[in-house]
Amino acid sequence: MEDPTQLKEEGNKYFQASDYEKAVQSYTQAIKLNKDKALQAVLYRNRAACFLKKEEYAKAASDASRAIDINASDIKALYRRSQALEKLGKLDQAFKDAQKCATIEPRNKNFQETLRRLGANIQEKLHIQFSTDLRVQKMFEILLDENSEKEKREKAANNLIVLGREEAGAERIFQNNGVSLLLQLIETKNAELILAAVRTLSGMCMGHKARATAILHYLGIDNICMWMSVDNEEISLAVCNLLQTITDCLLGQGKEEHHGKEESVVLDTKKDLRMITMRLLDMLVSKKVSGQGRDRALNLLNKNIPRKDLKDHDNSRTTFVIDNGLKKILKVVGQIPEMPDCLPLTENTQLTASILLNKLYDDLRCDPERDNYRVICEEYIKSKIDPQDMDKTLHAIQMVSGVLQGPFDLGNKLLGMKGVMEMMVALCGSEREIDQLVAVEALIHASTKLSRATFIISNGVTLLKEIYKKTKNEKIKIRALVGLCKLGSAGGTDYGLRQFAEGSTEKLAKQCRKWLCNTSIDARTRKWAVEGLAYLTLDADVKDDFVEDEPALQAMFELAKTSDKTILYSVASVLVNCTNSYDTKELVPELVQLAKFSKQHVPEEHPKDKKDFVVKRVKRLLKASVVSALACMVKVDSAILTDQSKELIARVFLALCEDPKDRGTIVAQGGGKALIPLAVEGTEVGKIKASHALAKIAAISNPDMAFPGERVYEVVRPLVSLLNTERDGLQNYEALLGLTNFSGRSDKLRMKIVKERALPDIENYMFENHDQLRQAAAECMCNLVVNKEVQERFVADGNDRLKLVVLLCGEDDEKVQVAAAGALAMLTAAQKKLCSKMTEVTTQWLEILQRLCLHDNMEVQHRGLVIAFNLFSADKELAKKLVETELLEILTYIGKQEDDPKKQHIINVARDCLTRCMDYGLIKPLSRA
């Protein structure tokens, strides 16, 4: 068993070395093992100091309190608690602790200064509080007075929203009957006042569980859902954001802050969350709810019901929704917009419901849960199939179609149900156009997988061709064509597996492009033309023709920017195909020969899929402003922008960033901003691709231009995520270049890189076998050592950081030497301790320094001489040691050289070294003859 005293000493060492995480671990271990009360107080007090450094103020206050419980006059613990409470905004409590410290040590100037500062802050807080109360009162008076001027009302509304977002302001509004007054504003039926009230309420709920719960109960979930159901997009969205903020608080997510007494109140949120979920499910099937309201309810369910992390075993929210609301979701996907009894829908509603079905299915943990889900679906669909009632049956087929767009495996099982395929075939042959429309869509969704497609090729192609030839209805014609496109692309990118005769695919694509450009056709029908191209562009001839067709490209981009978001995946798929940014398997020549010998099929590459053709297509897309279309697609705040869609968009961006000359255009069209959310959320592959695209931009762009304002700090984490042995060398290299560029901009950026724990990874790459990686890492470190915290890590005992940099100065690679020598010059100039430490870390230090001072490359030589000057300046004893070596001869040789403008800076540093030695009296000046 380890000794608590030893662990305390170990923690102290870690603390001095600024490794607060390890210090906390040592103190925590000691606390568990210790039995001595006096030592226990010291351990809690020390751990509180660590938490202060880590900016975890609630934990710091808690540990300091435990130390004070053991020893009420522990002055260090009292002062640390005072510091923590001040940071938590509890100024009155912080003042009391500082007062106790000043009473114990009245002459301590630090305590007196803290008391003065806290006293002034408390007075200022009281003044603000008083003036805030008056301001809040005045704002409500203006807003509730119907005779107020419009300008005054608008200003008051905006000020109220801003005040609601500040903790102090939100609390004042809440305490002064503000929620009741905000409810009055909502009841005025004035859109501007309703928006102001709802946005203020959102700000008040942010990060405050108790206040959010109180507001939810005061307003009532029925009222909130009713406001969200209105046919006004802005109000509906604002209410949706309010409900999301409340849900985040109840789930313990978002910007959770500590608010003193609230911590002692235990709030049971499960009941409220279930109540919200039930009301949202009821909204799905209510005819009183607008299409937008239904979309908002679906988006909230998509966002909050499935688990964010599958490692979390609790999927009770999902099972609750399946048991209480699966049939309601199925009813939404089974709606047919052309039928008179259809619920109010937008163009996005049904796909959003299909995505919810998929997320719920994926969130199930075991076969019995999946079986229960399947049984509910089967029973509900069976209850709708009635050969005597075609309208009812039509809803059943539409439901199957909706499930096929969600959990496809389940959809396939539903297709196998008795009577489903037969009904689809029968509906295809029906005289009613609505029957044909639904059946063709179901056939299209059914042929998603190659195995299913081969079955349908033998049965469905004939049906689709028949419909295509017979029908006069453009809506049906285009869908039948998409079905044929989908079946025609079943071979994927394999040139040898084409399903249709030579030239047929191009003909289909031409027809799709024609429909796409025809603005007289409704957008919903034109969307299907893009869907067809998503399959057909797997063929390289089609890709080439499409990117050359400027009107078709622009028509597709315009559709991507409309309110119909169901098109996003299809547009992204077309662009992935055109840029060849999908994954391809490398063919091993030996295996190809073996396959040919055994008469197995070998995938063939289309001649137009070679690199030069792909580059031309990328240039054409950039010229057509593809980046602004992609940026619009990324902004979509809807469940329809799935992780898979995000991955496709990230793939396209990476392909577009390939040529450094194009990166300026991409930034100018908003590509830099659009990539940040893609690098943070989505599939693992998508995040890596987006991070890599960001690294390519960050490596060569001015960060202030590419990522203006605070946005640049958001880019650091994606770049650091690429410093991983699982990523390839190019990703590592470009991430290091990006971080080098960033670390040269400002100390705030250097601090952010350090906080993201990039330093150990950068150090590892400094000793990679790969020359370019080693060089990039050394250059990055050269920029980072300007930061004080990085310098302190070099000064700390028990690490080889300085030794590694010194050894890098002795490398043969000149670029690595320049970077390493630059880092060493800055470190020895900033920290005198490192000058003496440098002479101890390796026996080769002197030889390396002499080689730097005699280097052929003037940049390396100058940095070597600066290091020598720093050593001479640091300490007389160290200077004496250096004078006794050959370094003096080297400096004398350089210093005696004639003045030369090209290397005057080098000669001057050598002379400065000699002057410093003369100042110490170690050498005498030579009298010139």
Side-chain angles (χ1 to χ4, degrees):
M1 186 179 277
E2 292 182 76
D3 178 33
T5 311
Q6 280 181 337
L7 283 165
K8 186 197 85 167
E9 294 305 321
E10 186 184 274
N12 292 351
K13 280 181 187 173
Y14 283 131
F15 185 86
Q16 284 158 10
S18 304
D19 194 342
Y20 306 120
E21 193 59 54
K22 284 189 177 171
V24 167
Q25 288 170 12
S26 298
Y27 293 139
T28 305
Q29 188 66 14
I31 287 165
K32 286 177 185 173
L33 299 172
N34 179 50
K35 298 285 186 284
D36 177 27
K37 268 198 167 187
L39 179 58
Q40 198 79 338
V42 174
L43 290 167
Y44 277 124
R45 186 176 75 199
N46 288 4
R47 195 168 72 172
C50 294
F51 285 133
L52 277 173
K53 290 285 186 185
K54 290 179 75 191
E55 298 178 12
E56 293 179 21
Y57 302 117
K59 289 181 180 178
S62 171
D63 270 7
S65 296
R66 287 173 178 176
I68 293 161
D69 288 343
I70 297 167
N71 178 5
S73 58
D74 186 332
I75 197 160
K76 284 186 180 178
L78 283 164
Y79 188 61
R80 281 167 196 167
R81 187 168 74 176
S82 173
Q83 287 175 299
L85 290 168
E86 183 183 354
K87 291 288 185 184
L88 289 168
K90 300 172 185 176
L91 300 182
D92 48 344
Q93 294 175 42
F95 187 82
K96 283 177 189 173
D97 281 344
Q99 230 172 5
K100 285 177 191 171
C101 292
T103 308
I104 297 166
E105 282 186 23
R107 291 184 182 177
N108 189 314
K109 286 181 182 176
N110 196 10
F111 297 157
Q112 295 298 335
E113 178 54 40
T114 303
L115 271 178
R116 267 195 299 275
R117 189 184 69 249
L118 285 169
N121 288 349
I122 288 167
Q123 287 303 314
E124 191 186 346
K125 191 179 177 184
L126 288 169
H127 174 70
I128 291 168
Q129 199 166 300
F130 181 68
S131 63
T132 304
D133 287 352
L134 286 175
R135 276 166 62 210
V136 169
Q137 198 178 335
K138 188 78 180 154
M139 282 176 217
F140 278 118
E141 280 174 15
I142 294 168
L143 290 167
L144 290 167
D145 180 4
E146 289 178 15
N147 301 318
S148 296
E149 291 172 29
K150 194 183 177 193
E151 248 180 73
K152 272 190 175 180
R153 267 188 157 190
E154 280 177 12
K155 195 176 177 185
N158 289 331
N159 288 344
L160 197 62
I161 294 166
V162 171
L163 205 60
R165 287 174 186 158
E166 296 166 5
E167 173 50 34
E171 192 57 29
R172 297 325 302 156
I173 296 170
F174 188 74
Q175 295 294 348
N176 288 311
N177 195 32
V179 181
S180 169
L181 294 169
L182 287 166
L183 189 55
Q184 282 182 47
L185 287 180
I186 293 170
E187 286 165 357
T188 59
K189 302 284 192 294
N190 179 320
E192 284 178 19
L193 295 183
I194 294 170
L195 278 172
V198 172
R199 286 170 181 163
T200 306
L201 286 163
S202 289
M204 290 169 68
C205 293
M206 188 78 75
H208 200 300
K209 192 184 281 187
R211 199 156 56 220
T213 309
I215 288 171
L216 171 68
H217 286 278
Y218 190 88
L219 297 177
I221 185 64
D222 290 336
N223 280 332
I224 295 173
C225 289
M226 181 181 73
W227 300 329
M228 196 163 68
S229 305
V230 298
D231 201 7
N232 178 312
E233 192 171 355
E234 266 196 294
I235 293 173
S236 179
L237 181 59
V239 178
C240 177
N241 289 337
L242 168 62
L243 195 50
Q244 182 60 57
T245 304
I246 292 171
T247 306
D248 282 343
C249 288
L250 298 180
L251 289 169
Q253 293 168 357
K255 192 182 74 178
E256 190 64 43
E257 295 169 3
H258 296 280
H259 301 282
K261 291 176 185 176
E262 188 198 328
E263 293 167 47
S264 60
V265 179
V266 179
L267 297 164
D268 182 20
T269 58
K270 280 187 180 176
K271 196 176 173 186
D272 288 333
L273 284 167
R274 291 208 161 178
M275 176 179 70
I276 292 170
T277 306
M278 282 306 294
R279 291 297 175 278
L280 291 174
L281 290 168
D282 291 342
M283 280 179 74
L284 299 185
V285 289
S286 168
K287 283 209 167 185
K288 292 176 186 174
V289 175
S290 66
Q292 282 167 353
R294 211 174 311 283
D295 283 2
R296 306 282 179 233
L298 284 164
N299 279 326
L300 285 166
L301 290 165
N302 263 306
K303 203 168 183 180
N304 300 301
I305 299 303
R307 291 170 290 172
K308 300 278 186 294
D309 184 358
L310 294 178
K311 288 175 189 168
D312 173 15
H313 292 297
D314 181 19
N315 69 340
S316 57
R317 291 199 299 275
T318 294
T319 51
F320 176 78
V321 168
I322 288 167
D323 292 338
N324 295 281
L326 183 55
K327 289 179 181 176
K328 291 173 181 175
I329 304 165
L330 286 169
K331 184 172 180 179
V332 174
V333 296
Q335 294 299 300
I336 300 161
E338 291 78 7
M339 301 278 269
D341 63 340
C342 183
L343 293 169
L345 306 173
T346 70
E347 52 277 275
N348 302 315
T349 309
Q350 289 178 287
L351 185 58
T352 314
S354 291
I355 289 164
L356 178 57
L357 288 173
N358 191 47
K359 284 189 173 181
L360 294 172
Y361 192 72
D362 285 347
D363 200 41
L364 298 175
R365 294 184 307 157
C366 57
D367 286 343
E369 285 181 355
R370 280 183 278 274
D371 286 341
N372 175 50
Y373 188 111
R374 178 181 52 77
V375 168
I376 293 171
C377 290
E378 283 180 353
E379 286 178 356
Y380 190 63
I381 290 166
K382 268 180 196 168
S383 72
K384 298 288 174 191
I385 294 178
D386 183 355
Q388 307 305 316
D389 186 345
M390 284 309 278
D391 284 358
K392 207 173 169 188
T393 305
L394 214 51
H395 285 296
I397 299 301
Q398 185 80 329
M399 272 177 219
V400 174
S401 194
V403 176
L404 283 163
Q405 290 173 80
F408 185 80
D409 295 339
L410 175 65
N412 249 344
K413 285 175 184 168
L414 298 178
L415 279 176
M417 280 167 60
K418 191 181 174 187
V420 171
M421 283 300 279
E422 291 83 347
M423 285 310 301
M424 278 165 63
V425 174
L427 289 169
C428 281
S430 166
E431 292 299 313
R432 279 203 318 175
E433 287 184 341
I434 186 74
D435 295 348
Q436 291 181 16
L437 201 68
V438 171
V440 171
E441 281 191 23
L443 269 176
I444 292 167
H445 298 310
S447 58
T448 300
K449 293 279 169 78
L450 187 61
S451 55
R452 174 64 59 185
T454 49
F455 163 75
I456 290 175
I457 281 169
S458 53
N459 299 276
V461 171
T462 324
L463 283 167
L464 291 170
K465 278 185 178 175
E466 194 112 340
I467 290 169
Y468 183 71
K469 284 174 190 170
K470 277 184 181 178
T471 187
K472 296 276 191 323
N473 186 326
E474 290 281 297
K475 291 181 181 181
I476 298 168
K477 212 176 187 68
I478 199 165
R479 284 162 174 78
L481 182 80
V482 171
L484 292 168
C485 293
K486 203 167 184 182
L487 300 173
S489 67
T493 56
D494 187 348
Y495 187 47
L497 259 187
R498 284 161 299 166
Q499 299 284 347
F500 294 154
E502 191 77 49
S504 296
T505 312
E506 286 94 308
K507 278 182 192 170
L508 289 171
K510 197 173 178 184
Q511 185 60 55
C512 281
R513 297 207 311 271
K514 191 176 160 189
W515 270 322
L516 180 57
C517 297
N518 187 349
T519 48
S520 63
I521 301 172
D522 66 285
R524 194 168 169 222
T525 305
R526 285 166 66 212
K527 176 192 81 180
W528 282 95
V530 182
E531 182 96 7
L533 286 167
Y535 302 110
L536 294 173
T537 46
L538 288 164
D539 184 293
D541 288 315
V542 174
K543 297 178 206 187
D544 249 35
D545 292 343
F546 182 57
V547 294
E548 293 298 326
D549 188 344
E550 181 82 19
L553 276 178
Q554 291 306 329
M556 183 175 82
F557 295 158
E558 286 308 312
L559 278 176
K561 294 173 186 176
T562 61
S563 59
D564 184 352
K565 302 306 173 193
T566 57
I567 198 172
L568 293 180
Y569 190 82
S570 303
V571 174
S573 299
V574 170
L575 294 172
V576 164
N577 293 341
C578 289
T579 55
N580 282 42
S581 46
Y582 41 71
D583 290 326
T584 49
K585 287 182 183 175
E586 274 191 49
L587 296 176
V588 182
E590 291 82 4
L591 291 176
V592 170
Q593 291 302 320
L594 190 65
K596 282 180 180 174
F597 179 74
S598 57
K599 294 183 180 173
Q600 295 293 317
H601 173 71
V602 179
E604 295 173 41
E605 186 184 44
H606 194 292
K608 287 186 179 176
D609 272 331
K610 293 199 168 17
K611 193 174 180 182
D612 50 343
F613 281 96
V614 177
V615 170
K616 276 183 196 169
R617 289 200 288 268
V618 166
K619 300 285 181 195
R620 286 287 306 168
L621 287 168
L622 282 166
K623 196 179 170 189
S625 301
V626 65
V627 176
S628 54
L630 289 170
C632 275
M633 289 161 72
V634 173
K635 284 179 194 166
V636 172
D637 183 22
S638 162
I640 289 176
L641 185 64
T642 57
D643 288 350
Q644 287 70 27
S645 299
K646 287 178 190 171
E647 183 188 315
L648 294 180
I649 296 169
R651 285 175 181 275
V652 177
F653 265 123
L654 184 56
L656 297 174
C657 289
E658 197 58 44
D659 185 347
K661 291 174 192 168
D662 296 327
R663 292 173 199 170
T665 309
I666 291 163
V667 168
Q669 292 180 9
K673 181 183 176 183
L675 276 164
I676 297 170
L678 295 176
V680 177
E681 289 179 355
T683 64
E684 205 54 44
V685 173
K687 287 192 284 189
I688 294 164
K689 301 275 183 195
S691 299
H692 192 188
L694 280 172
K696 283 180 182 289
I697 292 170
I700 64 161
S701 307
N702 177 344
D704 300 333
M705 302 285 283
F707 312 106
E710 296 294 303
R711 202 172 292 145
V712 69
Y713 302 103
E714 296 174 49
V715 182
V716 174
R717 184 171 292 174
L719 297 190
V720 172
S721 73
L722 294 177
L723 302 183
N724 188 318
T725 48
E726 289 176 15
R727 309 285 166 261
D728 64 44
L730 184 62
Q731 290 169 342
N732 300 155
Y733 177 66
E734 290 183 317
L736 285 166
L737 290 184
L739 290 170
T740 304
N741 195 2
F742 280 16
S743 56
R745 301 306 295 181
S746 70
D747 201 56
K748 200 175 171 189
L749 266 171
R750 287 188 280 273
M751 206 58 233
K752 175 69 176 168
I753 293 168
V754 173
K755 275 192 171 179
E756 291 294 342
R757 300 178 186 174
L759 221 54
D761 293 317
I762 295 166
E763 285 166 357
N764 289 340
Y765 286 111
M766 284 165 73
F767 289 88
E768 264 284 339
N769 291 328
H770 197 287
D771 290 346
Q772 283 175 297
L773 278 176
R774 196 163 67 247
Q775 175 202 325
E779 286 173 357
C780 190
M781 186 58 77
C782 181
N783 284 349
L784 285 171
V785 293
V786 181
N787 178 266
K788 202 156 180 13
E789 191 170 320
V790 176
Q791 291 167 11
E792 284 169 5
R793 294 193 185 197
F794 275 87
V795 172
D797 294 328
N799 71 73
D800 288 332
R801 288 190 176 97
L802 188 65
K803 180 181 178 180
L804 300 178
V805 174
V806 174
L807 292 173
L808 273 185
C809 291
E811 285 276 319
D812 294 330
D813 186 324
E814 264 188 30
K815 286 182 178 175
V816 171
Q817 271 187 310
V818 169
L824 195 55
M826 283 188 277
L827 284 167
T828 49
Q831 300 282 343
K832 285 188 177 181
K833 286 181 188 174
L834 291 175
C835 295
S836 52
K837 190 176 178 181
M838 178 183 157
T839 63
E840 298 160 8
V841 290
T842 171
T843 52
Q844 298 169 32
W845 71 273
L846 187 58
E847 184 193 332
I848 289 168
L849 182 59
Q850 288 170 350
R851 276 177 62 194
L852 291 177
C853 293
L854 288 169
H855 208 283
D856 296 334
N857 183 323
M858 284 200 286
E859 207 176 345
V860 177
Q861 186 182 20
H862 179 246
R863 292 173 183 214
L865 288 164
V866 170
I867 296 165
F869 176 74
N870 294 338
L871 297 184
F872 277 114
S873 303
D875 178 32
K876 187 177 177 181
E877 287 303 311
L878 183 54
K880 194 176 178 183
K881 193 198 279 189
L882 290 168
V883 166
E884 291 165 3
T885 68
E886 289 175 13
L887 188 62
L888 182 62
E889 288 175 46
I890 294 167
L891 294 170
T892 309
Y893 166 72
I894 298 167
K896 278 184 177 180
Q897 288 179 15
E898 294 292 323
D899 287 355
D900 179 351
K902 285 185 181 175
K903 53 178 185 176
Q904 194 60 44
H905 59 299
I906 292 170
I907 296 166
N908 287 345
V909 178
R911 288 173 184 172
D912 289 343
C913 291
L914 295 168
T915 307
R916 189 52 55 97
C917 292
M918 284 189 273
D919 292 345
Y920 287 141
L922 299 173
I923 59 169
K924 289 178 183 174
L926 274 171
S927 55
R928 296 198 172 187

